[in-house]
Each structure stands twice: as structure tokens, then as C-alpha cells.
Amino acid sequence: VRKIDESQYTFPEYCEKLKELNPEDSDCIDFCAEYIYAAVYANLTNLDDYTGKVIYQIRNSNAAVKDKDLLYGLIQVAYASVLFSQNLQFQSVSNN
């Protein structure tokens, strides 16, 4: 991802800018943006459970193994980023 001054944009604008600069990655950006939006703005009762369900969907999808691995890694980074930004304690998320 190319460097963007994210302070100039709202979250949706930032995601659109990322997609403009990285059109080949727009599907992954949309997927991660939806996860982050839900993790931050939805009234989730348990981020760990939600993340586990997202990972389960990725692992059990019919996507290519390469794409599954990429999405899994992106969600791991997004999860860690949300935890860090919200100053939450880390709890393990199942890899299944």
C-alpha cells in the first residue's frame, strides 16, 4: 500500500483513496474495511468471537489458497490494530 496521509480523510474516503492507488487490491481493501468498520463501529459484544467467525469464513471459502492466506493475514493485522487502538487485551483467536 502506498503512503497516504490518512489524517486528511474520513475512513470511507481513505479506503476509496487506497482503492484508487491500488485497484488490483480493491476486493481485499473492501473486505478488510468491512471488518474494521464492524469491529470499530458496530456494537459487537465480543470482538474475539466476531474475528473467529470471519477467519472461519475465510478458511472455509472457495477462494484460492493464496487469497485465503492473504485475507487471513490482513484480518490478523486489522484485529491487532483494532485491539491496539482500543487499548484492549489480546486474547487468542482460533486458526480453525
Side-chain angles (χ1 to χ4, degrees):
V1 175
R2 294 174 183 95
K3 177 71 176 139
I4 299 173
D5 181 4
E6 65 274 357
S7 66
Q8 297 180 21
Y9 304 100
T10 64
F11 182 69
E13 291 170 340
Y14 176 72
C15 292
E16 287 304 314
K17 188 67 173 174
L18 282 176
K19 291 190 307 186
E20 282 176 29
L21 296 172
N22 305 282
E24 68 282 2
D25 297 326
S26 75
D27 288 341
C28 289
I29 293 167
D30 284 339
F31 187 83
C32 289
E34 185 175 326
Y35 169 83
I36 292 169
Y37 189 84
V40 174
Y41 297 110
N43 195 13
L44 296 175
T45 56
N46 190 318
L47 179 61
D48 292 335
D49 287 344
Y50 175 70
T51 303
K53 290 174 185 175
V54 171
I55 290 170
Y56 178 84
Q57 288 178 340
I58 291 168
R59 291 294 186 204
N60 292 290
S61 72
N62 62 356
V65 172
K66 178 178 140 186
D67 294 335
K68 288 182 189 184
D69 290 344
L70 174 63
L71 288 173
Y72 177 73
L74 293 171
I75 293 302
Q76 285 182 313
V77 171
Y79 174 69
S81 298
V82 170
L83 289 178
F84 180 78
S85 70
Q86 294 181 346
N87 198 25
L88 299 174
Q89 289 186 325
F90 175 79
Q91 295 181 16
S92 67
V93 175
S94 175
N95 194 5
N96 298 327

